[in-house]
Amino acid sequence: MERKNSPASASPSQVIEVNIDIDPDADPPTIPPITNPSPTGDSKACRGGTCDLSYTKDSHERFASMRKLIIAVVLCIIFMTVEVIGGIKANSLAILTDAAHLLSDVAAFMISLFSLWAAGWEATPRQSYGFFRIEILGALVSIQMIWLLAGILVYEAIVRLIHDNGEVKGFLMFAVSAFGLVVNIVMAVLLGHDHGHSHSHGHGHEHGHGHGHSHEHGHGHSHEHGHGHDHSDEHGHAHGHEHEHDHDHDANTMTTYFHHDHHHNKDVKEQLIKKEKKKSKRNVNVHSAYLHVLGDSIQSIGVMIGGAIIWYKPEWKIIDLICTLIFSVIVLFTTIKMLRNILEVLMESTPREIDATQLEKGLCTMDGVVAVHELHIWAITVGKVLLACHVTIAPDADADVILDQVIGYIKRDFNISHVTIQIERQ
Amino acid sequence: MGMQQKKEKEKDPSSFSYQFPDGDRRLAFSRQPSFLYPSPSPSPSPSPSPNPLMQRSHSFTRSDSKDSTPILLMLAALRAVANGSRPIKRLALMISLNVAYSMIELLIGLFTARVGLVSDAFHLTFGCGILTFSLFTMGISRRKPDETYTYGYKRLEVLAAFTNALFLLFLSFSLAVEALHAFMQDESEHKHYLIVSAVTNLLVNLLGVWFFRSYARVNIVYWKPEDMNYHSVCLHVLADSIRSAGLILASWFLTLGVENAEVLCLGIVSVAVFMLVLPLFKATGSILLQIAPSNIHPSAFNKCSRQIAGLEEVLEVSQARFWELVPGYSIGSISVQVKNGVNEDPILQHVNGLYNDLGIQDLTVQIDYR
């Protein structure tokens, strides 16, 4: 699959090479070319098949998310048809409006489903990084829709205010929005549920998690737990990563990293316990659909309160508007964190969980390395990080050995799988 | 273009300088590399710094402190607008006109209990919000790259253009819904009082179109990121003016007695806006999706690849990935397998030179020995 990007060598047999080559980083550069007839050069650039940009390893997790979303869509459509029929029968605009909101929910789910499905497409020469970005763009579109809907609801509240002639029946509003709230809560539970299951499978995976995370903690990264949720999710997907970590630590001979091992053994237990408690680990698409549903339920609560007030005291219409405004603002706040994530990925900024200064310092302290510059770390989607940099080495150093060391260090300590290092001599 | 001819200029994606003035579209056929400065070898920054740690070729000035109080922020924003370039000033003027107008409309609508005015005001406010985002990115995109945003802030312009395009798509969709609505409704419900607001809207938007008139086309070749942003703003005001014109026409036709005029006009406007915005949407979307640079033909990449693989010392070329940061600045990474013991410097130069000719400004080459 990788070979699509190198038209110079297009033999399909090379696909096999990538899977075999899981050398630990004590990889002697003195392997004579004859024993490896086809260049396994990719061993440096991508180890153990995790360089696969087609997401086939995480397809298991992906299908689980897709299944959940499909169930949610079907439920939504059922409820929507019920509401439409009821609204036409009762000739009530309020019920039809709520059905329209459910329709927007369906649209958001469709976007998420499409993004999930599209992320599994194979990388092409034109789209050399795979289709993961579609997730991010889909989430952006979803969030824009949430904002749009909040605006529409505020507008509707104003319309209700203007039409002072008592057309609005408070009771009907209350009942309809209560029904909508129940539907939304059901879907929120469905979307937020059972991620715990997929992570409790196989303790080996959890160890991998522990390693992945205690790296970050060991280095004293800022503990943004919100982010930690998302990222531990992504680490869990590529099961190949975990095995790799184990291998690397077993073959570890560099003393500078030895104490990290002890660190890990101590921290793994704590990480495991912490992980069972954390419940919000989600794929970015499922998360945005969840946000959509959450926003809707918050709005429903607001409309319910407004309806109750109008029902109880029809002259306090202004409170309805104020209520809607407040709840819309609350909904907008829930989307801000996700929006920030999306923005950072789209701006190709250094992901929050990677400490770039630490990385540079670590690289510069290696022997042979004189300077590091043009360091770019960016994410293709939340959780998949790439790195490119230029390393200047002393004129007499062995470029190959240093390349191995650098790549090994980056992969081990920062869990960045796609690394491109340009070595220059001074 | 040989490697010897290339000048050593600082490779900095946030400091473009182009030899032709703003808005000159006649040079659309010139090859890109001659206008941008390619940097053959990624050497460290010109200032000789003895500090081996954290040496980067981009300057690291953290831009001025973000004042936390909103008043200071607003003052800073006003100052930025006053010092900004001409498009920034024009856009700021347009936005303030729109905001003032929509506030007035909202108040009038609330006091006279006219729903149509309120909905129009909402439309305008949303549009203004998005235009403000565009304005904001115009100001902020000049910042130097810093630690978190190692590639600079120019991407924001593409994002703003994408948001604008997305909003226009939503607009076209909502116009279609409105047309459907009008189809099902009685004609007597048509809101004639909207004419005044439509006329005013049309005038303001036409002013905006005139400000950005050099971008008033559907398909534009984008040379720099500001192009995308300005184009999206222009399309935005253009779509708005088309919509107002459509409303006015619909009212006129209705008074003439043409049946279903509103449906027809709204439908046509909706389709027109959709077609207008689609190329921009695709272009910005493809940049955000990390698709390979659109101004370079894929066969050119293959050719370069083959050329490199054809060198004596090179065994294999793999993992050639390219993407566009902003229109006009492309970045790539490639992995080259060479025979053992070969000096890597000439190969580096050669590979960099080849891809620079193509238009890839920033290339990281990983040389593996086997």
Side-chain angles (χ1 to χ4, degrees), chain A residues 6 126 346 348 360 373 422, chain B residues 55-56 148 155 292 317 365:
Chain A
S6 59
R126 209 164 120 69
L346 286 179
E348 321 287 343
E360 260 194 279
H373 59 102
Q422 177 164 319
Chain B
Q55 194 178 356
R56 294 205 191 183
T148 337
R155 246 301 167 86
V317 172
V365 183

Side-chain angles (χ1 to χ4, degrees), chain A residues 305-343:
Chain A
I305 296 182
I309 290 180
I310 292 186
W311 178 27
Y312 181 55
K313 270 226 166 110
E315 58 268 13
W316 282 359
K317 289 255 178 81
I318 193 89
I319 295 204
D320 172 33
L321 177 62
I322 296 179
C323 231
T324 315
L325 271 175
I326 294 179
F327 280 96
S328 297
V329 167
I330 294 181
V331 165
L332 293 187
F333 269 129
T334 60
T335 62
I336 284 200
K337 198 176 86 160
M338 169 140 237
L339 202 61
R340 200 178 50 180
N341 279 357
I342 292 179
L343 223 69

Side-chain angles (χ1 to χ4, degrees), chain A residues 339-356:
Chain A
L339 202 61
R340 200 178 50 180
N341 279 357
I342 292 179
L343 223 69
E344 285 176 356
V345 169
L346 286 179
M347 290 270 295
E348 321 287 343
S349 69
T350 313
R352 273 161 194 264
E353 73 268 17
I354 308 263
D355 189 349

